[in-house]
Amino acid sequence: MVILRFLQSFLDIALWRKGPQDLPASTTLATLALIAYLSTGFLRMRLFTLDRSTALLFICIDALMIGAWLWLVLAFFGRRQRFVQTITAALGVGLLILLLDVTIRSAQLTLGWSDELSRNWLRARFLVVSVVLGRVIMLALDRGLMTGIALTIAIIYSTQAVVQLMLDLRG
């Protein structure tokens, strides 16, 4: 029941009913959110038929980049004390989006949905992540929504760049 309560809190954050400040500043909850995020992210990557090492590389870099960006930005704006709540909210909302990814990819594989559906979902996903995570960052920094969205887009593209760099070095 506790897990459902926190999933509900993450959903409320995604739907703009709550913010990261409504979560407890609990490193245990942040750790559980990280484990759930990594596990679901790994499952998502495997559904896209990536080999284990590539999937693990991608999801680990993703989580590290989110954490590093949030810590640096919060420190820069003098809000470092909000890190635990902010990372918990970001990973929790990310978990919900990953669960949608897994559901859509599973449906595509089992029902034979077109690749066009996947492309449309990826476009919608980018917008959802930008706005929802942008709002989490906005609330954590006490800045405007556009600042939060811009930082979210920077996180997304820098993560992709680091993953590509790591794949090129490996490859």
Side-chain angles (χ1 to χ4, degrees), residues 43-51 101-102 104-105 108-109 118 121-122:
L43 174 62
R44 174 186 174 258
M45 291 294 137
R46 294 293 291 157
L47 284 172
F48 284 95
T49 63
L50 292 177
D51 63 87
D101 282 345
V102 167
I104 289 171
R105 181 62 177 171
Q108 182 186 19
L109 293 172
S118 290
W121 165 242
L122 289 175

Side-chain angles (χ1 to χ4, degrees), residues 69 125-126 129-130 133 151-161:
W69 266 99
R125 181 187 193 278
F126 180 83
V129 169
S130 297
L133 187 55
L151 287 167
T152 300
I153 291 170
I155 291 169
I156 291 168
Y157 283 120
S158 64
T159 299
Q160 288 176 349

Side-chain angles (χ1 to χ4, degrees), residues 30 48 52 66 78 82-83 102-103 107 116 129 133 137 141 158 170:
F48 284 95
R52 281 190 191 129
I66 291 170
R82 298 180 181 182
F83 177 75
V102 167
T103 303
E116 184 64 27
V129 169
L133 187 55
I137 294 171
L141 296 177
S158 64
R170 221 177 66 164

Side-chain angles (χ1 to χ4, degrees), residues 31-56:
T31 302
L32 291 172
L34 176 63
I35 291 167
Y37 183 83
L38 291 172
S39 301
T40 307
F42 185 75
L43 174 62
R44 174 186 174 258
M45 291 294 137
R46 294 293 291 157
L47 284 172
F48 284 95
T49 63
L50 292 177
D51 63 87
R52 281 190 191 129
S53 62
T54 302
L56 187 61

Side-chain angles (χ1 to χ4, degrees), residues 52-62 163 166-167 170:
R52 281 190 191 129
S53 62
T54 302
L56 187 61
L57 175 74
F58 185 89
I59 194 63
C60 287
I61 288 173
D62 181 48
V163 167
M166 295 302 290
L167 290 173
R170 221 177 66 164

Side-chain angles (χ1 to χ4, degrees), residues 112-154:
W113 288 353
S114 71
D115 286 340
E116 184 64 27
L117 176 67
S118 290
R119 285 189 293 276
N120 288 336
W121 165 242
L122 289 175
R123 288 182 200 112
R125 181 187 193 278
F126 180 83
L127 291 173
V128 168
V129 169
S130 297
V131 172
V132 171
L133 187 55
R135 182 172 176 272
V136 168
I137 294 171
M138 172 193 86
L139 293 171
L141 296 177
D142 295 322
R143 296 288 190 254
L145 182 60
M146 292 311 293
T147 300
I149 290 172
L151 287 167
T152 300
I153 291 170

